[in-house]
Amino acid sequence: MKVNFIWCSWIVLTTLICVFFANKILGQGDKSALIIGAPTLGHYQIEMACETCHTHPFGGIEVLQTACTQCHATDLDDARDSHPKTKFTDPRNADRVDILDARYCITCHTEHKKQQTQKMGLTIARDYCFLCHQDIAEERPSHKDQSFASCASAGCHNYHDNRALYQDFLIEHGNQPALLSIAQAVESEFNSATDLLAKQPALSLESSEFQQQILAHTEAAHDWQASTHAAAGVDCGGCHNTKAAQSEQRHWIEKPNHRQCASCHATEVGGFLRGKHGMRLSGALSASLSPISPSQSPLNFKAQAQGLEHGCNACHGAHTFDKKAAAVNACLGCHNDKHSLAYPGSAHGQNWLSHAGEQARSQQSLVTCATCHLPKIKTTINGSSVHTVQHNQNHNLRPNEKMIRSVCMNCHGLAFSIDALADPALIDNNFSGAPSVHIKSIDWALETHKE
Amino acid sequence: MKAQLITTAICATVSLAGCGEGASKGIEPQVYTDSLFAVMKANRTNYTQLIIKRLGPAGSDSIQPIEHWKDSDNGAPLPAQMFRAGAEAVTELTDQFSYSLQSLWPINSQNAPRTDIETQGLNYVANNPGNNFYGEEVLGSVNYFTAVYADVAVSDACTTCHNEHKDSPKTDFKIGDTMGGVVIRVPL
C-alpha cells in the first residue's frame, strides 16, 4: 500500500512538472521560470523575448547561430571580421574546429553563464589565441614570451575587429603626434536631416493651424517655438497629426514615439533600435516589450532616473529637441559610472562647459558624450552623401579599440589613442591626463618595417 | 499469348533501362575538379588582365588595386583576394566542394600547406609544370578527393606584388613561374 502511494505520488508529481514546463515552453505566457542563469550585459534587455534567440524550443546550435547572425551579421561585416565562419568551414581547418568550434558564436559566447562570463561576453579562457597561433613567435620574434591571455586584452588584437590594429595601419599612422590639428571635417560638411528640412520656411506659433492644441499646451508650444523643428518648418502636426499605416486619413497622437520620429529621422531611429537603448522596441523581437528603463539594468544608474523609459524623447526632450542637452545632460541624467561622472571635470568636459551658452552649431568641435559614443558619421542616403548620428552605441563602445578610427583619430594620433584606450585608470577619469601605459604594437610594427 | 509476350518484352526493356540508370556513377571527381578549376582559372586570369591591368595603375588608373582595398574609396581587391572572396562566398552556398589558394611561399603564413596532401600537391605542381596532383585525405572524419593545380604568374602584376611585399618569403618570381596552387576538395 505504501509502495503504491509512493509510485502514484511520483507519477502525479512528474506529470505536473512536465505539464508545467511544457506549458512554459510552448505557451505564450511568462517564461522566467525557464531561465537557467542571468544573461550578459548585451542581452538582458531582451531576456524575456526568449524566442528571439530560441526560435525553436528544441532547436540546436544551428538554430541559435541563425539567431546570432540575424542581429549581428551586419555589424561583423562592417567590422571586417578577422575570423569569419568561412575560415572554419574550410575542411583544411577541421583539426582546429575539433579543438575550438569557431563556426558558432556560442562556442565562445555562451549565454546565461554569468559566473564564467568575462569582458565582451567571453565564456572561454582568455588565452584562446594559443589554440591556433601557438607558433606565432617563430614568425614574429617580438611576440616571444608574450602571454596568450594578453593578445586581445592589451590593445594589440581583437578576435573580430582589427580595423585600427592591423600592421600596415600601425605603420602608416604610427608616427602621428598625440594631438592632431582638430578635425573640422564633420563640422564643415555638416549636413543633417535638419539641414535638409530647413528648406521649408520657418513657422511661428501664430501661423500654426493647431491653435486649439497650442492653447491647451502653452509651455510645450513655447518650447517648440525655440526648437529646430520650428525653424525647419515642422509644426505640431508633423509629429502629432500623422497618417495611419495604409491610410490617407490623419489622426492626432497625444504622445508620439520613435515611429513618428522615424518618418523623418529613419537612419537615426534605425540605429537607436539596434542599440542598447532601443533594442526592446525594434519590432524584430518575439515578444512585445516595454521601453528599457534604468531600473531593469544590472548596472548602476542614478536613483532619480530609475523610472525613466527610453524612447527618443528621453534624451532629446519632447518639444525642445535640444541637441546640446541630448549630447551630455541626457547621458549624465542616468549614467552613474566613474567614466560618466568624471566627464564634467575632464578636459573634454571643461571645454564643453566653457561653451555651454553657445549655439549648437558652434559646438560641433567640442567633445561631448555623444561625440564619442553616438558620433556623426558620413553615410549615403538615396545617392546623397550626408552626415547622420549613429544612435547604435554598440559601434562605439566595447571593445573600445573599435572607436579608434571612427572617433579618437578625428583629433588624436593612433599611438596616443591605443595607449589611452588601454589605460583603465584614464578611462575611469574620462581621459584627464596622459596615458600611463604604453602598448608596443606600433613600435614593433615600425621596427619590422625598418628592417 | 502474343500480347503477353509483348508485355513481357516491354517490362524487360524498362527493367534493363532502369538497371542501366542505377549503374551510372555520375561525374568522376577528377573531371569535376578539373572543370571547376577551368572556370576558376578563366575568371582569375580575366580579372587580372581585363580589370586590374586595364583599369589599375598600369591602365586607366581609375581603380587602385591594393591589399587594404576597403580603406580606399577607389580600392579594388588584388587578384588573389578576389579569388579568396569567391572561395568564401562558395562556402556560404554549398558544402559539396571547397577551394583555396595556397603556396609554399605564402605572404600570409595561414595560406601555407596544412595537410600532408597539400604539401605533397604544392611540391608536385611546383616541380612538374603542366601537371596536376590528385589524392584522397581524411579531414574531420570526412574522406575528401583533393586536387591541386598550379597557380602560375600570368602578369607582372602578380610577380611585382609578391616580389616587393614585405612579408613575402620569395622575391624572385618571374612570369610563368608556379607561385602556388589551387586546392579543390570534394567530399566522397
Side-chain angles (χ1 to χ4, degrees):
Chain A
M1 183 64 186
K2 189 178 178 184
V3 172
N4 285 342
F5 176 76
I6 291 172
W7 273 110
C8 287
S9 300
W10 180 81
I11 290 169
V12 169
L13 195 60
T14 304
T15 304
L16 285 174
I17 290 171
C18 289
V19 168
F20 174 79
F21 281 108
N23 183 47
K24 290 292 177 189
I25 291 171
L26 302 173
Q28 298 296 316
D30 176 27
K31 295 181 187 297
S32 52
L34 299 173
I35 293 174
I36 58 171
T40 63
L41 292 175
H43 287 152
Y44 76 87
Q45 298 90 338
I46 57 170
E47 180 183 21
M48 296 317 299
C50 309
E51 288 92 347
T52 303
C53 299
H54 302 278
T55 53
H56 189 279
F58 305 105
I61 195 168
E62 294 288 353
V63 167
L64 290 171
Q65 180 66 20
T66 301
C68 299
T69 53
Q70 194 83 29
C71 289
H72 297 286
T74 305
D75 289 347
L76 285 170
D77 202 32
D78 289 345
R80 304 177 197 171
D81 187 8
S82 305
H83 292 85
K85 183 180 179 181
T86 49
K87 272 192 194 302
F88 301 95
T89 50
D90 189 331
R92 71 195 303 257
N93 285 322
D95 58 331
R96 289 171 166 165
V97 169
D98 278 345
I99 299 168
L100 185 77
D101 195 349
R103 296 173 299 172
Y104 300 103
C105 302
I106 63 170
T107 299
C108 302
H109 303 284
T110 309
E111 259 299 351
H112 303 293
K113 300 272 187 184
K114 191 176 181 182
Q115 70 281 7
Q116 68 186 67
T117 303
Q118 307 161 63
K119 284 181 180 174
M120 302 312 307
L122 186 70
T123 47
I124 60 171
R126 283 167 50 212
D127 58 357
Y128 57 87
C129 301
F130 172 83
L131 300 173
C132 292
H133 300 280
Q134 60 265 51
D135 56 356
I136 188 65
E138 293 172 19
E139 188 184 336
R140 300 189 181 200
S142 57
H143 289 49
K144 188 171 181 291
D145 299 328
Q146 296 294 318
S147 164
F148 278 92
S150 72
C151 305
S153 63
C156 294
H157 302 283
N158 275 320
Y159 183 83
H160 295 294
D161 185 349
N162 288 284
R163 283 173 292 178
L165 303 173
Y166 66 84
Q167 191 182 39
D168 287 347
F169 191 80
L170 300 180
I171 293 169
E172 185 179 350
H173 302 278
N175 288 316
Q176 290 176 328
L179 189 63
L180 307 175
S181 55
I182 303 294
Q184 301 291 326
V186 171
E187 180 183 9
S188 60
E189 294 179 40
F190 188 64
N191 183 18
S192 70
T194 15
D195 282 347
L196 297 174
L197 289 169
K199 292 171 184 169
Q200 303 293 324
L203 293 174
S204 64
L205 286 173
E206 294 72 25
S207 64
S208 174
E209 62 177 295
F210 296 95
Q211 292 301 321
Q212 185 183 341
Q213 285 83 1
I214 288 171
L215 286 172
H217 304 281
T218 52
E219 188 179 348
H222 282 94
D223 284 345
W224 167 84
Q225 178 71 84
S227 74
T228 48
H229 274 169
V234 179
D235 70 356
C236 312
C239 304
H240 288 280
N241 199 29
T242 60
K243 291 176 187 173
Q246 310 291 323
S247 167
E248 286 300 307
Q249 194 172 353
R250 290 181 177 275
H251 64 285
W252 184 263
I253 299 172
E254 190 64 25
K255 291 187 179 299
N257 62 21
H258 63 279
R259 294 186 189 87
Q260 282 71 50
C261 301
S263 62
C264 291
H265 304 281
T267 305
E268 281 79 3
V269 172
F272 165 73
L273 295 176
R274 288 189 295 276
K276 294 177 188 300
H277 289 157
M279 62 198 288
R280 283 167 66 100
L281 306 173
S282 73
L285 305 180
S286 62
S288 177
L289 301 175
S290 62
I292 193 69
S293 167
S295 62
Q296 296 161 321
S297 172
L299 298 176
N300 177 26
F301 286 97
K302 289 181 177 169
Q304 70 270 20
Q306 294 298 313
L308 291 177
E309 289 195 333
H310 217 310
C312 303
N313 288 335
C315 296
H316 289 282
H319 303 107
T320 57
F321 299 108
D322 182 348
K323 285 191 288 189
K324 290 181 295 181
V328 174
N329 297 349
C331 313
L332 300 184
C334 294
H335 289 270
N336 203 26
D337 56 279
K338 289 179 183 174
H339 176 74
S340 301
L341 295 175
Y343 172 78
S346 70
H348 289 156
Q350 286 293 302
N351 199 24
W352 181 78
L353 285 169
S354 67
H355 292 78
E358 297 176 10
Q359 292 297 310
R361 185 171 287 265
S362 69
Q363 298 193 330
Q364 296 302 322
S365 60
L366 303 180
V367 179
T368 65
C369 308
T371 307
C372 299
H373 298 296
L374 305 169
K376 294 186 185 72
I377 57 169
K378 194 176 179 182
T379 188
T380 302
I381 299 177
N382 297 330
S384 298
S385 180
V386 296
H387 283 101
T388 61
V389 175
Q390 175 54 276
H391 279 65
N392 180 357
Q393 70 280 78
N394 292 316
H395 283 224
N396 293 284
L397 197 63
R398 299 187 189 91
N400 60 23
E401 293 95 339
K402 67 166 66 167
M403 300 171 67
I404 292 173
R405 288 180 69 161
S406 58
V407 173
C408 306
M409 287 182 70
N410 287 331
C411 301
H412 294 282
L414 177 62
F416 176 88
S417 303
I418 290 177
D419 287 349
L421 292 172
D423 185 344
L426 199 63
I427 293 171
D428 278 351
N429 71 25
N430 213 304
F431 306 105
S432 296
S436 62
V437 299
H438 176 56
I439 304 303
K440 293 180 180 174
S441 56
I442 290 178
D443 304 340
W444 291 343
L446 291 174
E447 189 66 31
T448 304
H449 183 57
K450 199 190 297 177
E451 289 169 5
Chain B
M1 183 62 185
K2 189 179 177 183
Q4 195 176 352
L5 279 173
I6 292 171
T7 305
T8 306
I10 291 172
C11 288
T13 304
V14 169
S15 300
L16 286 172
C19 287
E21 211 168 89
S24 172
K25 292 179 180 176
I27 190 168
E28 288 292 328
Q30 185 174 322
V31 176
Y32 182 45
T33 57
D34 285 357
S35 304
L36 288 170
F37 177 67
V39 176
M40 292 171 196
K41 184 178 182 183
N43 284 341
R44 182 157 155 71
T45 305
N46 283 343
Y47 180 70
T48 305
Q49 296 186 335
L50 305 184
I51 304 295
I52 299 301
K53 285 281 283 183
R54 182 166 177 268
L55 301 177
S60 68
D61 208 18
S62 53
I63 60 168
Q64 186 188 17
I66 187 173
E67 183 178 355
H68 303 292
W69 57 277
K70 286 183 179 175
D71 277 345
S72 172
D73 284 343
N74 66 335
L78 299 168
Q81 292 175 308
M82 191 70 175
F83 190 83
R84 290 185 204 291
E88 290 188 8
V90 162
T91 66
E92 305 272 4
L93 299 171
T94 181
D95 58 2
Q96 294 303 303
F97 76 98
S98 64
Y99 64 100
S100 57
L101 184 60
Q102 297 168 34
S103 177
L104 297 169
W105 314 278
I107 287 176
N108 181 344
S109 61
Q110 294 296 320
N111 298 320
R114 292 203 69 242
T115 70
D116 290 343
I117 286 285
E118 288 178 352
T119 304
Q120 289 175 40
L122 289 173
N123 276 298
Y124 181 85
V125 298
N127 296 325
N128 297 277
N131 292 307
N132 308 324
F133 177 89
Y134 305 99
E136 288 188 24
E137 59 186 336
V138 176
L139 300 171
S141 72
V142 177
N143 191 28
Y144 289 94
F145 175 82
T146 302
V148 183
Y149 302 88
D151 188 47
V152 178
V154 296
S155 156
D156 55 2
C158 314
T159 54
T160 304
C161 183
H162 275 258
N163 288 341
E164 295 180 355
H165 198 285
K166 67 182 189 316
D167 295 328
S168 178
K170 183 173 165 66
T171 56
D172 58 352
F173 284 117
K174 300 182 296 296
I175 293 177
D177 281 357
T178 297
M179 302 180 76
V182 174
V183 179
I184 304 177
R185 285 191 175 89
V186 180
L188 295 173

